[in-house]
């Protein structure tokens, strides 16, 4: 499980700078405070999504076990 | 021939000489036929030729309608009065009555000639064409690349001119393929409404995935962004914006280019009734790029 600090470091490496704007008006780099706030917001969103995906996989495996079915059985059932 | 002081001694002979001289000098006057007239043959004295007068020669020119000048002698000049009525480039000659006309100066760029029986004496006028009948008017169309949000790009697109708007993303994708594509409403300040979004988004894959949104900080249209080569177009109608404090509502659809799944969504802003004047686009994580147009739908 990735920690928030690790996720922030990953995002900062991927996005060393951030900007707003459009082709007509031009683009401006985010201030240091806005940059940090945006990276933290993105980190929270990505961690939340990762956690939801992991929980969904756990719930799905538990349900299949309860039903005595395999992943292949499930695919056959839904096909 | 004897001179005036000569002594005439042989009158018959002198007359004969005189007659022969007259006959020689005026020989051109001999001949001719009825109706012929004498015409000078050369500049030499008494050098004439009998010629037939040309029948039908013009004896006078009278100026009719649209023509000025004329005359009955000498060199006659006639002028096209319609042509001289035109005094500047773009002038046109317009009938003002039976056999009368006048100069109508050119209008302004893009004006068209329009019939108007109340305009005297022309009955026509230059006028700007009425706006083409259309149920939809492009308000703004903007392209943006790798931005955290579109911030002020779509500020001011909702006004009292229209009641409903169509938002069309011709192309839209994010840097993080697994992030939601979202929007938030904007209002005067300028400020972003960051709470109170309600509604749902349904993704149709092998099964429908229903995502409820209750008092969210933004509204999610898609649960995944597209990619550069597989962008995710979307469009939605939004109403109750741009004209007094109200709670807007919207509904629309999207197509995720990355995972090839359609979305249908609808929602409303129940957090705060405001006069919302714009919106911004963003992703839950990563930057967004694309081209989005906003159209106003005519009320009548």
């Amino acid at each position: 499980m990735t920690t928030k600090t690790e996720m922030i470091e990953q995002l900062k490496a991927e996005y060393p700078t951030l900007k707003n704007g459009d082709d007509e008006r031009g683009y401006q780099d985010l201030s240091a405070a806005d940059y940090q706030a945006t990276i933290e917001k993105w980190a929270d969103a990505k961690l939340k999504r990762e956690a939801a995906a992991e929980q969904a996989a756990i719930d799905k495996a538990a349900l299949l076990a309860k039903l005595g079915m395999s992943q292949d059985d499930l695919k056959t059932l839904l096909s | 021939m004897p001179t005036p002081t000569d002594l005439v001694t042989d009158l018959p002979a002198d007359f004969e000489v005189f007659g022969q001289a007259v006959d020689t000098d005026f020989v051109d006057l001999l001949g001719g036929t009825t109706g012929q007239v004498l015409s000078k043959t050369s500049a030499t004295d008494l050098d004439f030729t009998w010629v037939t007068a040309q029948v039908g020669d013009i004896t006078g020119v009278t100026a009719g309608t649209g023509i000025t000048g004329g005359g009955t002698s000498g060199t006659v000049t006639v002028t096209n009065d319609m042509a001289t009525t035109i005094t500047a480039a773009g002038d046109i000659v317009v009938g003002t009555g039976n056999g009368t006309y006048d100069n109508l100066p050119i209008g302004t760029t893009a004006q068209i000639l329009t019939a108007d029986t109340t305009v005297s004496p022309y009955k026509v006028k230059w006028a700007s064409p009425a706006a083409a009948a259309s149920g939809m008017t492009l308000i703004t169309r903007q392209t943006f690349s790798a931005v955290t949000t579109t911030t002020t790009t779509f500020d001011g697109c909702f006004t009292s001119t229209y009641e409903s708007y169509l938002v069309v993303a011709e192309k839209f994708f994010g840097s993080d393929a697994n992030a939601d594509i979202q929007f938030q409403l904007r209002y005067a300040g300028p400020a972003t409404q960051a709470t109170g979004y309600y509604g749902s988004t349904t993704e149709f894959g092998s099964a429908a995935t229903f995502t409820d949104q209750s008092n969210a900080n933004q509204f999610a249209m898609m649960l995944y962004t597209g990619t550069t080569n597989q962008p995710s177009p979307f469009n939605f109608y939004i109403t109750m914006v741009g004209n007094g404090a109200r709670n807007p509502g919207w509904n629309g659809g999207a197509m995720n280019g990355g995972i090839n799944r359609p979305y249908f969504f609808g929602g409303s802003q129940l957090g705060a009734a405001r006069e919302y004047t714009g919106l911004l686009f963003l992703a839950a994580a990563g930057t967004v790029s694309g081209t989005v147009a906003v159209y106003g739908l005519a009320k009548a």
Side-chain angles (χ1 to χ4, degrees), chain A residues 21-35:
Chain A
D22 55 65
D23 286 1
E24 185 174 301
R25 297 168 184 79
Y27 294 89
Q28 304 83 37
D29 284 342
L30 265 59
S31 67
D34 287 344
Y35 174 84

Side-chain angles (χ1 to χ4, degrees), chain B residues 140 142 144 150-157 277-279 281 292-294:
Chain B
T140 185
Q142 299 294 335
F144 44 90
T150 58
T151 56
T152 61
T153 297
F154 298 96
D155 279 4
C157 63
T277 55
L279 74 176
F281 300 97
V292 176
V294 179

Side-chain angles (χ1 to χ4, degrees), chain A residues 15 20 22-23 27 46 49, chain B residues 148 153 175-176 178 180 223:
Chain A
Y15 303 99
N20 282 334
D22 55 65
D23 286 1
Y27 294 89
K46 289 176 75 68
R49 190 165 186 123
Chain B
T148 57
T153 297
S175 62
D176 185 339
N178 293 319
D180 300 354
L223 306 185

